[in-house]
Amino acid sequence: MLEITKESIEKAIEKARITKPKVKVIQFRLYSVTNKTTGANYEVKFYKISGKKFAECDCKATKICYHIGASIGAHIVLAEQMSRQTV
Ligand SMILES: [Zn+2]
């Protein structure tokens, strides 16, 4: 599990913008990211523990990867929708 920091996620989002993988929502906090070129598919999970954000991807990367960068956009939108529904 990797901690999401502003710096690490900005780099990952930047790389996701270039590679443009396909993101599918499996459920809240769980996303499927597919590389359109290679067809490789990875699962990304997000966690929130004592106010800190963490992510996990099942690719080989040992730091915040672009799969996480690609899916965080969908995650933020969903998280906002969820918080509105609970009001
Ligand atoms: Zn990854």
Side-chain angles (χ1 to χ4, degrees), residues 20-86:
K20 293 187 177 66
K22 188 167 174 271
V23 179
K24 207 175 91 184
V25 179
I26 298 171
Q27 61 181 67
F28 183 54
R29 295 185 188 279
L30 181 62
Y31 306 91
S32 164
V33 182
T34 309
N35 183 313
K36 284 177 187 166
T37 314
T38 63
N41 180 265
Y42 302 99
E43 263 183 20
V44 176
K45 291 176 194 154
F46 288 98
Y47 305 89
K48 203 172 181 182
I49 302 161
S50 27
K52 286 184 174 179
K53 289 171 193 160
F54 295 89
E56 203 173 70
C57 177
D58 58 7
C59 77
K60 284 181 288 181
T62 51
K63 53 185 181 177
I64 300 290
C65 62
Y66 75 92
H67 307 113
I68 295 169
S71 44
I72 198 156
H75 178 64
I76 289 167
V77 171
L78 269 179
E80 276 178 9
Q81 286 173 356
M82 301 276 284
S83 67
R84 263 186 237 130
Q85 278 167 13
T86 53

